[in-house]
Amino acid sequence: MKESKQLGLFALIALVVGSMIGSGAFNLAGDMALGANAGAILIGWIITGIGIVALGLAFQYLSIHKPDLDSGIYSYAKEGFGPFLGFSSAWGYWLSAWLGNIAYATLVMSSIGYFIPVFEGGQNVASIIGASVLLWGVHFLVLRGVHSAAFINTITTICKVIPIFLFILITLFFFNIDKFTFEFWGSGGFSWSSVASQVKSTMLVTLWVFIGVEGAVVMSARAKSKSDVGKATVIGLISVLLIYVFITIVSMGVMTREELAALPTPTMAYVFEAVVGKWGAVFINMGLIISILGAWLSWTLFAAELPYEAAKDRVFPKWLAKENINKAPVNSLWLTNGLVQVFLITLLFTDKAYNFMFSLASSAILIPYMLSAFYQVKLVSIKENRKQFIIGIIASIYTIWLVYAGGLDYLLLTMLLYAPGILIYKYTQKEYGVTRKDTAFEIALMIIFVILAVVALAEIFTGKIDF
């Protein structure tokens, strides 16, 4: 029997929250402490809060005023800037989705390794086998239907926030203001250059934990009401922002920056263990396993949905538009998880695979986010809506800042992933019999993508980019 149910407001909020609160929340304090002190981290949160809320409001506005653009994150780029940038946005978002799932696989096996030592570290042969079993378990769950998977995601989202709330509430009672303010700006005190560098170091971390803000937009074609898409985006975003800020602050009031940075993953487990004892680490690790499995499920939905919608919109190859009897995007799902399986093997050869994969996933999604913000500016400038124009400008500045803060290495590695997409773009145009010629601007972008990809390869082979 074919699945006909659609997603309501609560399910959409759960998708947004569930996709954002994944592995990153549980390692947030440690990841930020690697490059920044408390003062710079607070500034980073202010910048991120303003920027990500503006981006969320842009998604809300676009979902309401452009309800016909059902695939959101890529269709905004296509509508606003033409087919090549539309394709590139879809390609980058899809890359980010399945690369993020590799990061999830690494951390979930590391957490299981807390209980079963054979998986310790999450980067050995046993971990790859275990992650592969989970990968295909999620795969066949999604094949049963998007609504069924979304329902399970709602349950796991509720389960994952319980340990996080408990962590925040209990750790607040042990908050030490002296530890929080110790070397607040760094050992040398405040200096603009030092603080700016520290703030930059937090940007890909904060972006990683907010990837998924567009989750309701990606699934908007399956929503009961288009107005619920915007509501779910804003409600989910504000809720998660508050949770993240509290996680970071209470952790830095329990341990110094150096202590946090030296902790194994997941940081939250060992912070909680320092506060309440061994059971705290057990509790958090169990919560993390549930959290990642829920986020993994959400991102498998997104990663499969976008190529499917793009194929229906004649942006990706036709065969990706195939559904099974349960209305699940079957070919898109097989391709996506097949690539995840192949790339899981690379965990054996990459130091700190989790950090590398989440940074690469964050970098890959920057272009889709940037183009969505730019489209908001273009759309409202025509309609002369000053409020929405300002929101679009803030979101655009934020996404440009993220590209800068991410650094040249990750930009080059991202282009190494984007450049092969040009071949798929050309193949798709030929498959659909598109006679439109690329504009001079589009040709220039293709050339830039290829040049930067070649530079990336050269930097890798010479050892200047280190994995």
Side-chain angles (χ1 to χ4, degrees):
M1 183 175 180
K2 291 187 177 181
E3 181 181 280
S4 59
K5 295 180 180 179
Q6 292 181 301
L7 305 178
L9 177 61
F10 192 72
L12 290 169
I13 292 172
L15 275 170
V16 175
V17 174
S19 58
M20 283 193 284
I21 297 182
S23 59
F26 291 82
N27 216 49
L28 182 58
D31 288 336
M32 296 190 83
L34 286 172
N37 290 83
I41 287 173
L42 290 179
I43 293 174
W45 275 125
I46 292 171
I47 294 172
T48 298
I50 293 171
I52 205 71
V53 168
L55 189 60
L57 291 173
F59 283 132
Q60 181 192 38
Y61 180 85
L62 293 173
S63 69
I64 293 172
H65 292 272
K66 284 290 183 178
D68 53 311
L69 302 179
D70 281 338
S71 301
I73 194 69
Y74 92 85
S75 53
Y76 299 149
K78 181 187 176 187
E79 178 77 6
F81 308 105
F84 177 64
L85 282 177
F87 170 87
S88 296
S89 182
W91 182 257
Y93 188 89
W94 178 63
L95 289 171
S96 176
W98 62 263
L99 286 169
N101 281 349
I102 298 170
Y104 289 147
T106 307
L107 196 56
V108 75
M109 296 315 301
S110 178
S111 298
I112 294 173
Y114 184 86
F115 305 102
I116 308 173
V118 70
F119 300 119
E120 189 173 1
Q123 285 188 239
N124 53 25
V125 173
S127 295
I128 292 173
I129 294 172
S132 299
V133 171
L134 292 174
L135 168 69
W136 295 107
V138 170
H139 175 90
F140 287 107
L141 178 61
V142 175
L143 283 180
R144 294 185 60 184
V146 170
H147 187 272
S148 300
F151 174 75
I152 293 173
N153 174 73
T154 301
I155 302 301
T156 59
T157 297
I158 295 170
C159 292
K160 76 172 69 173
V161 299
I162 292 174
I164 292 175
F165 278 130
L166 187 64
F167 168 82
I168 292 172
L169 288 173
I170 293 178
T171 309
L172 269 174
F173 287 101
F174 295 86
F175 183 85
N176 186 319
I177 191 65
D178 292 329
K179 283 192 175 181
F180 183 74
T181 56
F182 177 70
E183 295 187 351
F184 192 69
W185 299 110
S187 57
F190 181 86
S191 75
W192 286 109
S193 60
S194 173
V195 172
S197 176
Q198 291 180 56
V199 171
K200 278 179 60 181
S201 75
T202 69
M203 288 296 102
L204 282 184
V205 177
T206 57
L207 177 62
W208 165 242
V209 296
F210 278 112
I211 289 179
V213 62
E214 73 294 333
V217 178
V218 174
M219 302 297 291
S220 62
R222 300 181 187 267
K224 286 182 181 177
S225 170
K226 298 299 182 185
S227 64
D228 286 346
V229 174
K231 293 175 187 176
T233 299
V234 174
I235 293 170
L237 173 58
I238 298 297
S239 302
V240 171
L241 174 61
L242 292 173
I243 290 170
Y244 287 160
V245 172
F246 272 109
I247 288 172
T248 310
I249 290 175
V250 298
S251 297
M252 300 197 82
V254 172
M255 291 185 173
T256 65
R257 173 196 169 183
E258 288 73 17
E259 290 171 334
L260 285 171
L263 289 177
T265 57
T267 303
M268 186 186 291
Y270 296 96
V271 172
F272 206 37
E273 184 178 49
V275 170
V276 301
K278 186 76 172 178
W279 75 267
V282 172
F283 183 67
I284 294 299
N285 272 295
M286 290 177 65
L288 174 58
I289 292 169
I290 294 172
S291 178
I292 295 179
L293 291 176
W296 197 341
L297 178 58
S298 295
W299 276 102
T300 300
L301 286 172
F302 299 159
E305 185 76 5
L306 190 132
Y308 162 76
E309 291 291 345
K312 289 200 302 180
D313 203 21
R314 302 163 66 93
V315 173
F316 273 21
K318 290 179 183 178
W319 68 280
L320 290 171
K322 183 180 178 181
E323 292 179 330
N324 67 6
I325 194 172
N326 296 313
K327 296 289 186 180
V330 57
N331 285 351
S332 177
L333 190 63
W334 278 104
L335 173 64
T336 299
N337 285 337
L339 285 168
V340 173
Q341 179 66 77
V342 170
F343 273 74
L344 278 175
I345 299 171
T346 66
L347 300 183
L348 293 173
F349 310 104
T350 306
D351 292 332
K352 294 186 177 180
Y354 170 72
N355 297 78
F356 175 73
M357 286 300 178
F358 88 63
S359 296
L360 197 56
S362 300
S363 185
I365 208 168
L366 286 177
I367 288 179
Y369 278 178
M370 186 186 302
L371 292 172
S372 295
F374 288 176
Y375 180 57
Q376 160 90 339
V377 173
K378 180 178 179 180
L379 184 66
V380 298
S381 64
I382 296 172
K383 295 186 176 181
E384 297 181 353
N385 187 324
R386 182 175 296 179
K387 177 184 174 182
Q388 293 300 328
F389 181 74
I390 292 172
I391 289 172
I393 289 293
I394 293 172
S396 298
I397 292 172
Y398 173 62
T399 56
I400 293 169
W401 157 254
L402 286 174
V403 173
Y404 166 72
L408 181 61
D409 284 356
Y410 281 109
L411 177 62
L412 290 174
L413 287 172
T414 302
M415 289 300 103
L416 191 58
L417 296 172
Y418 268 80
I422 297 171
L423 298 176
I424 306 299
Y425 171 70
K426 288 296 186 182
Y427 169 81
T428 304
Q429 283 192 314
K430 184 177 180 181
E431 184 180 36
Y432 288 110
V434 176
T435 57
R436 172 189 176 275
K437 291 185 178 180
D438 297 319
T439 66
F441 176 68
E442 290 172 331
I443 294 171
L445 283 177
M446 294 178 197
I447 293 171
I448 291 171
F449 283 9
V450 172
I451 290 173
L452 291 177
V454 171
V455 172
L457 284 174
E459 297 277 271
I460 291 170
F461 287 129
T462 57
K464 292 181 180 179
I465 293 180
D466 186 12
F467 292 93

